[in-house]
Structures are given as C-alpha cells and as structure tokens.
Amino acid sequence: MLGKFWEVAGGKLAERWAGISAHALVFWVAGLAAWTYHHGGLSALAAPSDWLGQQKPAVQALTVLALLVAVVTSGAAVDSVTGQALRLLAGYWPTWAGRLRRRRVRTRLRRADSDKAPWQQAQARVRASDVSADDLAAYAVLERRRRRCPSTAAYFMPTVTGNILRAAERRPADKYGLDAVVVWPHLWLLLPETAQAELRAAMKALNTAVRAAIWGVAFCSFTVLTWYALPVGLAVVLIAACVVIPARAQAFGELFEAAFDLYRVALYHQLRWPLPANPEQESTVGRQLTTYLWRGSDRPTPSFTSPST
C-alpha cells in the first residue's frame, strides 16, 4: 500500500519538476548560446570542455550535478513567483500604481461601451431571416469581445487577461446568483475527478504561459552579451502576454463557468438547500445560498430538504 503511494507520489513529483525545469533548460541553453556568440563562436566552448575533460570522474560528476541543480533551482524560483506574476498580468497592481490602474480601467470601459451599439445592431441582423455569413462573423467577433469583459463596470480590470478572468468569475453571480469567490471552494469538492482534472490542466497551461513570459523577461538580461537577446526576450514576453495567456485564461474561464452550469445542483443537494423552481427564481435563491455560506443564518426559512432528496 505505502509502496504504491510513494510510487505515485514520486511519479507526480518527477512530472512536476520536469515541467518546471523544461523552460529553465531552454533558458540556460539559450544563455549559453548568447555567451558563445559573445566570445567568438563555438570555439569558446573548447577551453571549458578541455578543463572538464582533464578532471577526475568525481569532479566531472559534481560539475554536471551542480549544473543540473542550478537549472532546477532557477526553474523552482520562477515557479514560486508565477502566481504573483499572474496577478500582475490580471491587473492586481500595487497601491502606488493606482492612478495607472484607474486610467487603464477607464480605457477598457470606453472600448466596451463603444461595442454596445454595434453589438446590438449585429444581434438584430443575426435574428433577421436574411442573415448573411458576414453578419454572423461580425456578430461572433463582437460577442467574443463582450464575453471577455464583466457585465458591470465596477468589476472591470485594467488588463485583457484580468477582464477575461473577472468576467468568468462574475458570470455565475449574473446567471445564478452564486458568488464564485464564496461558493467555489465548496463546489470544487463536489466536482467529479474528470472535471477537476480538466480545470487543473487548464490552469497548468495558463501558468506555463506565465512562466514563459517570466523567462522572456529574464532572457533580456543577456543583452550584455548580445543585442539579439533583447528583441528575442521581448518577443517572447509580448506573444505570451498578449496572445497565449489571454487565450488560455479564456479556456480556463469557460471551464470554470461550465462547472457552475453543470454541477451547481449538486451543491444545493449537498447543503440540503431547496432548489429554485425556475430560472427567474434562481438568482434570488442563489444569492440567499451565497449569504448562507458566507455568514450563516439563524432564520427559520428556507426549510432544509430531506437528505434523500
């Protein structure tokens, strides 16, 4: 029993460290290439190789081990700040950046407001009997941009990624009255393993993209060796921050929303809370359930349902 446990735990740990170290290895190999270029080409590697070849096997092994430890340690260091980096990319900035944050939020709000009239017009054309392919394409673009923003101005964030994640976080409240911040820990425990695995995979993909952006920033430090490092590093950062991270945040947000769509009834059953009778009633009942989970209640209503229900 314990042997199986350690086998599984060791496999998971090895898989995690391999994922963390992959970007680190690419980074240091690219850094070595920059150093080699700075020192005149591949011939610069001859002296270190000759030195290593002249050492005793124990020294060679320790040298290789030290290099591997450096790679893994740097990967772990980047992994430890991935969460904070994602928060920054989402727009949770420090207090001293408050003015910039407010300005960026106002810009995002203006862009969202400018899409309202075209979206309404596109929606009307789509509902018409003679809708064209161009009308459908225009509506799809506007609808996608609309879903990437919260429905209420107060919840807007200063970045694209932040608005995508905030919009997904707020949709359960908009549709069902369930505040995701309060309800999610409880709902997560009721999700089947397949749903949890999908959500973990989506978050892992998002974190991987964030780590790539961090490594891109770090790669710019090799500019002291070659100027090529600056455009390459900036290109990695821009592609990750402007394309890959928002796309993966969107994928995670859709799964997050789907978890509420499909499994919120399990939450009602587990808490013995009466199910809403119809969609109109669900928003009110969902807000009551959110309040109950957040603060509790000593009111005589609603009555708990039977455990077998």
Side-chain angles (χ1 to χ4, degrees):
M1 184 74 177
L2 287 177
K4 185 64 175 178
F5 168 79
W6 286 115
E7 180 182 343
V8 173
K12 293 289 186 181
L13 186 61
E15 180 183 346
R16 174 172 173 78
W17 281 111
I20 290 173
S21 302
H23 283 152
L25 183 60
V26 172
F27 171 80
W28 288 113
V29 169
L32 178 62
W35 179 88
T36 303
Y37 177 84
H38 179 69
H39 287 83
L42 292 175
S43 59
L45 295 175
S49 298
D50 291 342
W51 175 87
L52 185 61
Q54 296 168 4
Q55 304 306 309
K56 295 179 180 180
V59 175
Q60 293 175 348
L62 287 174
T63 301
V64 173
L65 180 61
L67 292 174
L68 291 175
V69 169
V71 170
V72 173
T73 301
S74 61
V78 169
D79 184 64
S80 68
V81 300
T82 298
Q84 291 84 343
L86 179 57
R87 285 184 60 82
L88 288 175
L89 289 167
Y92 294 95
W93 297 344
T95 305
W96 53 264
R99 181 175 297 181
L100 175 61
R101 186 183 189 281
R102 288 190 292 272
R103 185 160 62 244
R104 294 301 302 164
V105 167
R106 287 195 294 268
T107 300
R108 300 288 175 194
L109 278 169
R110 284 196 297 269
R111 291 177 182 175
D113 288 340
S114 68
D115 280 342
K116 285 183 179 179
W119 175 78
Q120 291 171 347
Q121 295 166 5
Q123 188 180 49
R125 289 194 297 269
V126 166
R127 290 176 176 175
S129 58
D130 58 344
V131 59
S132 67
D134 290 340
D135 291 334
L136 289 172
Y139 175 74
V141 170
L142 289 167
E143 178 65 15
R144 185 166 57 250
R145 288 214 298 257
R146 182 171 176 267
R147 280 185 60 83
R148 284 185 158 207
C149 296
S151 59
T152 305
Y155 293 105
F156 264 67
M157 301 295 288
T159 67
V160 173
T161 298
N163 279 320
I164 290 172
L165 294 174
R166 179 61 68 83
E169 178 186 296
R170 291 304 307 167
R171 271 194 286 273
D174 295 337
K175 294 195 296 185
Y176 310 123
L178 298 171
D179 189 318
V181 175
V182 176
V183 173
W184 179 246
H186 307 79
L187 182 62
W188 171 260
L189 296 176
L190 300 176
L191 297 180
E193 290 184 7
T194 53
Q196 290 185 352
E198 290 291 336
L199 283 159
R200 286 195 188 99
M203 178 53 71
K204 180 181 178 180
L206 177 57
N207 286 334
T208 298
V210 174
R211 283 195 291 271
I214 297 172
W215 285 118
V217 172
F219 191 74
C220 292
S221 64
F222 291 126
T223 305
V224 296
L225 300 176
T226 172
W227 68 269
Y228 291 112
L230 184 61
V232 170
L234 290 178
V236 171
V237 173
L238 289 174
I239 292 172
C242 299
V243 180
V244 182
I245 292 174
R248 293 185 178 181
Q250 183 77 35
F252 175 79
E254 289 173 355
L255 287 173
F256 181 83
E257 180 183 0
F260 280 88
D261 294 340
L262 297 176
Y263 300 109
R264 69 188 187 281
V265 172
L267 183 70
Y268 280 91
H269 284 315
Q270 192 68 25
L271 294 171
R272 299 173 56 202
W273 201 264
L275 282 170
N278 52 59
E280 182 181 7
Q281 189 185 87
E282 184 165 15
S283 182
T284 300
V285 176
R287 286 194 296 270
Q288 293 173 349
L289 180 57
T290 297
T291 302
Y292 176 71
L293 289 175
W294 184 244
R295 295 191 177 91
S297 174
D298 57 0
R299 298 179 61 183
T301 58
S303 298
F304 291 128
T305 61
S306 170
S308 61
T309 301

